[in-house]
Amino acid sequence: MWQRIKSYLNPANRLSSRGMIRMDEQTRASLHPCVAHRGWSGMAPENTMAAFRLAMTQPFVQWMELDVHLSRDDVPVVIHDGILKRTTNGEGRVRDLTAEQLGRLDAGSWVHPSFYTEGVPTLAEVLSLTSGRCRLNIELKGDDADRTLLAARAVDVIRSHQFEQHAVITSFQPDILIAVRNYFPSIRTGLIIDAFPQDLVSTLRSLGASYLSIGFRHLSPLLLQQTADAGIDVMAWTVNSPADLRRLMNRPEPFQICTNYPDRWLAAVKEENRRS
């Protein structure tokens, strides 16, 4: 595949009449893999088993992104906010309830009444669901938890499911990434950022991170060249506009595209293939 991609990067023989990089559909999809953000969160309640199952109905979804907090009984659970109110019928903090209590909450009716049975899943439940089918970008939030404990508990669950080779642990918080690497150095880690500071690549190297999750508006040829030279993979988040998806599909550099709408990602692949 890389030999095919390299051939498309030669503008002397691979430019279309529109001046865009000409790629076939398979190459375009492989160059910019789809990451389902919190599952198929544009169609189902984010970070629920329904959203993850829905995303996995699409063969082209090879990655999903999700968020992890600790429950009161120190179980890694999958929910974005540290406060329950936005996405569940619960009150207070995630950290105030046990994993069992969180699982009994209604985490779906805020999207549609048909999702009322969706609770807050544990990380273990999601790993069991996705094993052998999909890789995971696991963001550790740590808003109000002991971050060292959060790192250790998440890694323990990943290892118990033999998922180490199929996951990357990401965070906005460098100390969480350090805690992960101190606890289990061989697991892959990545920094999340919505900026492009001059020292970004050196920061990633100092953290031992081989993955960068960055707001898509900060993508540039310089960033992608620097990360490629350093052996760092890039995921651009969160791309939901069809126009933005089509524009990014035409970039010649490899990076993942994280979206709430995997169907829009696929439509952009097909549209750009027709137009090129």
Side-chain angles (χ1 to χ4, degrees):
M1 175 58 69
W2 278 109
Q3 291 303 316
R4 293 181 65 201
I5 289 173
K6 287 179 181 178
S7 73
Y8 285 102
L9 301 186
N10 184 349
N13 54 24
R14 287 293 180 179
L15 289 180
S16 72
S17 60
R18 296 190 302 137
M20 299 293 187
I21 299 296
R22 180 179 298 152
M23 309 177 207
D24 61 46
E25 192 170 298
Q26 180 183 356
T27 302
R28 195 184 302 277
S30 298
L31 199 62
H32 305 305
C34 179
V35 181
H37 184 234
R38 307 177 196 171
W40 194 334
S41 56
M43 290 283 287
E46 64 179 59
N47 281 324
T48 62
M49 298 296 275
F52 299 132
R53 289 192 186 98
L54 186 61
M56 289 194 301
T57 64
Q58 306 304 308
F60 59 86
V61 174
Q62 300 298 314
W63 279 86
M64 294 192 293
E65 186 269 354
L66 54 83
D67 308 281
V68 170
H69 288 269
L70 284 182
S71 65
R72 189 176 76 194
D73 48 346
D74 297 334
V75 175
V77 293
V78 179
I79 184 171
H80 181 271
D81 299 359
I83 303 297
L84 294 165
K85 184 175 182 179
R86 182 176 67 87
T87 61
T88 80
N89 65 338
E91 296 289 338
R93 304 180 306 161
V94 173
R95 197 70 164 122
D96 293 334
L97 299 183
T98 67
E100 182 181 2
Q101 291 170 327
L102 291 164
R104 293 200 301 264
L105 293 178
D106 175 358
S109 290
W110 65 281
V111 171
H112 191 273
S114 62
F115 292 114
Y116 78 96
T117 59
E118 294 296 322
V120 176
T122 65
L123 177 58
E125 289 172 329
V126 179
L127 293 180
S128 295
L129 174 71
T130 57
S131 180
R133 167 60 183 86
C134 196
R135 289 175 284 181
L136 296 178
N137 178 330
I138 300 170
E139 179 182 346
L140 301 188
K141 306 299 287 189
D143 295 356
D144 52 9
D146 180 325
R147 292 174 176 180
T148 300
L149 181 63
L150 172 66
R153 291 292 180 267
V155 169
D156 286 344
V157 172
I158 292 168
R159 294 182 67 191
S160 70
H161 284 74
Q162 299 181 331
F163 217 87
E164 301 98 311
Q165 302 304 313
H166 309 291
V168 58
I169 293 180
T170 60
S171 183
F172 278 99
Q173 310 298 333
D175 57 337
I176 289 180
L177 302 182
I178 292 169
V180 169
R181 292 191 61 80
N182 286 342
Y183 188 69
F184 191 64
S186 64
I187 202 162
R188 196 175 185 204
T189 58
L191 181 67
I192 309 172
I193 193 170
D194 195 15
F196 180 21
Q198 289 185 346
D199 62 347
L200 179 56
V201 171
S202 62
T203 297
L204 291 165
R205 284 174 168 157
S206 70
L207 293 170
S210 62
Y211 192 91
L212 172 65
S213 178
I214 191 166
F216 78 92
R217 290 180 177 83
H218 299 286
L219 285 183
S220 69
L222 177 60
L223 169 72
L224 293 167
Q225 184 63 60
Q226 288 182 352
T227 51
D229 290 346
I232 295 164
D233 293 330
V234 175
M235 184 192 80
W237 56 268
T238 300
V239 192
N240 291 328
S241 158
D244 287 331
L245 284 163
R246 289 194 301 269
R247 177 174 57 81
L248 292 179
M249 286 294 174
N250 275 303
R251 294 203 65 96
E253 309 93 341
F255 55 86
Q256 298 175 345
I257 295 178
C258 186
T259 180
N260 295 349
Y261 299 95
D263 54 332
R264 294 181 186 176
W265 176 95
L266 182 60
V269 170
K270 293 182 177 297
E271 175 66 17
E272 289 310 295
N273 195 57
R274 286 194 297 268
R275 295 173 64 187
S276 61

CSV table of all heavy atoms in Angstrom, one decimal, residues 4 12 23 27 60 67 84 87 96 99 108 124 136 142 167 183 192 205 213 222 240 261 263 270 272:
chain,number,residue,atom,x,y,z
A,4,ARG,N,2.0,2.2,-3.3
A,4,ARG,CA,1.0,2.8,-4.1
A,4,ARG,C,0.8,4.3,-3.7
A,4,ARG,O,0.6,5.2,-4.5
A,4,ARG,CB,-0.3,2.1,-3.9
A,4,ARG,CG,-0.3,0.7,-4.5
A,4,ARG,CD,-1.7,0.0,-4.3
A,4,ARG,NE,-2.7,0.7,-5.0
A,4,ARG,CZ,-4.0,0.6,-4.7
A,4,ARG,NH1,-4.4,0.0,-3.7
A,4,ARG,NH2,-4.9,1.3,-5.5
A,12,ALA,N,4.0,15.0,-10.8
A,12,ALA,CA,4.3,15.0,-12.2
A,12,ALA,C,3.3,14.1,-12.9
A,12,ALA,O,3.1,14.3,-14.1
A,12,ALA,CB,5.7,14.6,-12.4
A,23,MET,N,-6.6,9.8,-6.7
A,23,MET,CA,-6.5,8.6,-6.0
A,23,MET,C,-7.7,7.7,-6.3
A,23,MET,O,-8.8,8.2,-6.5
A,23,MET,CB,-6.4,8.8,-4.5
A,23,MET,CG,-5.4,9.8,-4.0
A,23,MET,SD,-5.6,9.9,-2.2
A,23,MET,CE,-5.0,11.6,-2.0
A,27,THR,N,-7.3,3.7,-2.1
A,27,THR,CA,-6.2,4.5,-1.6
A,27,THR,C,-6.6,5.7,-0.8
A,27,THR,O,-6.0,5.9,0.3
A,27,THR,CB,-5.3,5.0,-2.8
A,27,THR,OG1,-4.9,3.8,-3.6
A,27,THR,CG2,-4.1,5.7,-2.4
A,60,PHE,N,-15.8,-0.1,7.0
A,60,PHE,CA,-14.7,0.8,6.8
A,60,PHE,C,-14.3,1.5,8.1
A,60,PHE,O,-13.3,2.1,8.2
A,60,PHE,CB,-15.0,1.9,5.8
A,60,PHE,CG,-16.3,2.7,6.1
A,60,PHE,CD1,-16.2,3.8,6.9
A,60,PHE,CD2,-17.5,2.3,5.6
A,60,PHE,CE1,-17.3,4.5,7.2
A,60,PHE,CE2,-18.6,3.1,5.9
A,60,PHE,CZ,-18.5,4.2,6.7
A,67,ASP,N,-14.1,8.0,25.6
A,67,ASP,CA,-13.6,8.8,26.8
A,67,ASP,C,-13.8,8.0,28.0
A,67,ASP,O,-14.8,7.3,28.2
A,67,ASP,CB,-14.4,10.1,26.9
A,67,ASP,CG,-14.4,10.9,25.6
A,67,ASP,OD1,-13.3,11.5,25.3
A,67,ASP,OD2,-15.4,10.8,24.8
A,84,LEU,N,-22.6,14.3,35.3
A,84,LEU,CA,-23.6,13.4,34.6
A,84,LEU,C,-24.7,14.1,33.8
A,84,LEU,O,-25.3,13.5,33.0
A,84,LEU,CB,-24.2,12.5,35.7
A,84,LEU,CG,-23.2,11.5,36.4
A,84,LEU,CD1,-23.9,10.9,37.6
A,84,LEU,CD2,-22.8,10.4,35.4
A,87,THR,N,-25.5,14.1,29.6
A,87,THR,CA,-25.8,12.9,28.8
A,87,THR,C,-26.5,11.8,29.5
A,87,THR,O,-26.7,10.8,28.9
A,87,THR,CB,-24.5,12.4,28.2
A,87,THR,OG1,-23.6,12.0,29.2
A,87,THR,CG2,-23.8,13.3,27.3
A,96,ASP,N,-19.0,10.0,41.8
A,96,ASP,CA,-19.9,9.8,43.0
A,96,ASP,C,-20.6,8.5,42.9
A,96,ASP,O,-21.2,8.1,43.9
A,96,ASP,CB,-20.9,11.0,43.1
A,96,ASP,CG,-20.2,12.3,43.4
A,96,ASP,OD1,-19.1,12.3,44.0
A,96,ASP,OD2,-20.8,13.3,43.0
A,99,ALA,N,-19.8,1.8,39.3
A,99,ALA,CA,-20.0,1.4,37.9
A,99,ALA,C,-21.4,0.8,37.7
A,99,ALA,O,-22.0,1.0,36.7
A,99,ALA,CB,-18.9,0.4,37.5
A,108,GLY,N,-29.4,7.6,27.2
A,108,GLY,CA,-29.8,7.6,25.8
A,108,GLY,C,-31.0,8.4,25.4
A,108,GLY,O,-31.1,8.9,24.3
A,124,ALA,N,-14.4,-2.2,30.1
A,124,ALA,CA,-14.3,-3.6,29.8
A,124,ALA,C,-15.4,-4.1,28.9
A,124,ALA,O,-15.2,-5.0,28.0
A,124,ALA,CB,-14.4,-4.4,31.1
A,136,LEU,N,-9.1,1.0,19.2
A,136,LEU,CA,-9.7,2.0,20.0
A,136,LEU,C,-8.7,3.1,20.3
A,136,LEU,O,-7.5,2.8,20.7
A,136,LEU,CB,-10.2,1.5,21.3
A,136,LEU,CG,-11.4,0.5,21.2
A,136,LEU,CD1,-11.8,0.0,22.6
A,136,LEU,CD2,-12.6,1.1,20.5
A,142,GLY,N,-9.7,12.3,33.4
A,142,GLY,CA,-9.0,12.6,34.7
A,142,GLY,C,-9.4,14.0,35.2
A,142,GLY,O,-8.6,14.6,35.9
A,167,ALA,N,-4.9,-0.6,20.8
A,167,ALA,CA,-5.4,0.6,21.4
A,167,ALA,C,-4.2,1.6,21.5
A,167,ALA,O,-3.1,1.3,21.5
A,167,ALA,CB,-5.9,0.3,22.8
A,183,TYR,N,3.7,3.1,34.3
A,183,TYR,CA,3.0,1.9,34.7
A,183,TYR,C,3.2,0.8,33.8
A,183,TYR,O,3.4,-0.4,34.2
A,183,TYR,CB,1.5,2.2,34.9
A,183,TYR,CG,0.8,1.1,35.6
A,183,TYR,CD1,1.0,0.7,36.9
A,183,TYR,CD2,-0.2,0.3,34.9
A,183,TYR,CE1,0.3,-0.3,37.5
A,183,TYR,CE2,-0.9,-0.7,35.5
A,183,TYR,CZ,-0.7,-1.0,36.8
A,183,TYR,OH,-1.3,-2.1,37.4
A,192,ILE,N,-3.3,14.9,23.0
A,192,ILE,CA,-4.4,15.6,22.4
A,192,ILE,C,-4.2,17.1,22.6
A,192,ILE,O,-3.9,17.6,23.7
A,192,ILE,CB,-5.8,15.3,23.0
A,192,ILE,CG1,-6.0,13.8,23.1
A,192,ILE,CG2,-6.9,15.9,22.2
A,192,ILE,CD1,-7.2,13.3,23.9
A,205,ARG,N,8.0,13.8,21.7
A,205,ARG,CA,9.2,13.0,21.9
A,205,ARG,C,9.5,12.8,23.4
A,205,ARG,O,9.8,11.8,23.9
A,205,ARG,CB,10.4,13.5,21.1
A,205,ARG,CG,10.3,13.2,19.6
A,205,ARG,CD,11.4,13.9,18.9
A,205,ARG,NE,11.6,13.5,17.6
A,205,ARG,CZ,12.2,14.2,16.6
A,205,ARG,NH1,12.7,15.4,16.9
A,205,ARG,NH2,12.3,13.8,15.4
A,213,SER,N,-3.3,13.7,18.5
A,213,SER,CA,-4.7,13.9,18.2
A,213,SER,C,-4.8,15.4,18.2
A,213,SER,O,-4.7,16.1,19.3
A,213,SER,CB,-5.5,13.3,19.3
A,213,SER,OG,-6.9,13.5,19.0
A,222,LEU,N,3.5,21.6,7.1
A,222,LEU,CA,4.7,21.6,8.0
A,222,LEU,C,4.4,20.7,9.2
A,222,LEU,O,5.3,19.8,9.5
A,222,LEU,CB,4.9,23.0,8.6
A,222,LEU,CG,6.0,23.2,9.6
A,222,LEU,CD1,7.3,22.7,9.1
A,222,LEU,CD2,6.1,24.6,10.2
A,240,ASN,N,-16.9,17.1,10.8
A,240,ASN,CA,-18.3,16.7,10.6
A,240,ASN,C,-18.8,17.4,9.3
A,240,ASN,O,-19.8,16.8,8.7
A,240,ASN,CB,-19.1,17.1,11.8
A,240,ASN,CG,-18.8,16.2,13.0
A,240,ASN,OD1,-18.5,15.1,12.8
A,240,ASN,ND2,-19.0,16.8,14.2
A,261,TYR,N,-19.8,11.4,12.1
A,261,TYR,CA,-20.6,10.9,11.0
A,261,TYR,C,-19.8,10.0,10.1
A,261,TYR,O,-19.4,10.5,9.0
A,261,TYR,CB,-21.3,12.0,10.3
A,261,TYR,CG,-22.1,12.9,11.1
A,261,TYR,CD1,-21.6,14.1,11.7
A,261,TYR,CD2,-23.5,12.6,11.3
A,261,TYR,CE1,-22.5,14.9,12.5
A,261,TYR,CE2,-24.3,13.4,12.1
A,261,TYR,CZ,-23.8,14.5,12.7
A,261,TYR,OH,-24.6,15.3,13.4
A,263,ASP,N,-20.8,8.0,8.0
A,263,ASP,CA,-21.5,8.0,6.7
A,263,ASP,C,-21.1,9.1,5.8
A,263,ASP,O,-20.9,9.0,4.6
A,263,ASP,CB,-23.0,7.9,6.8
A,263,ASP,CG,-23.6,9.1,7.7
A,263,ASP,OD1,-22.8,9.5,8.6
A,263,ASP,OD2,-24.7,9.5,7.5
A,270,LYS,N,-16.3,8.8,-1.7
A,270,LYS,CA,-16.9,8.4,-3.0
A,270,LYS,C,-17.1,9.7,-3.8
A,270,LYS,O,-16.8,9.6,-5.0
A,270,LYS,CB,-18.3,7.8,-2.7
A,270,LYS,CG,-18.2,6.4,-2.1
A,270,LYS,CD,-19.6,5.8,-1.9
A,270,LYS,CE,-19.5,4.4,-1.3
A,270,LYS,NZ,-18.8,3.5,-2.2
A,272,GLU,N,-15.2,12.5,-3.8
A,272,GLU,CA,-13.9,13.0,-4.3
A,272,GLU,C,-13.3,12.0,-5.3
A,272,GLU,O,-12.7,12.4,-6.2
A,272,GLU,CB,-12.9,13.1,-3.1
A,272,GLU,CG,-13.3,14.4,-2.3
A,272,GLU,CD,-13.5,15.6,-3.1
A,272,GLU,OE1,-12.5,16.1,-3.8
A,272,GLU,OE2,-14.6,16.1,-3.1
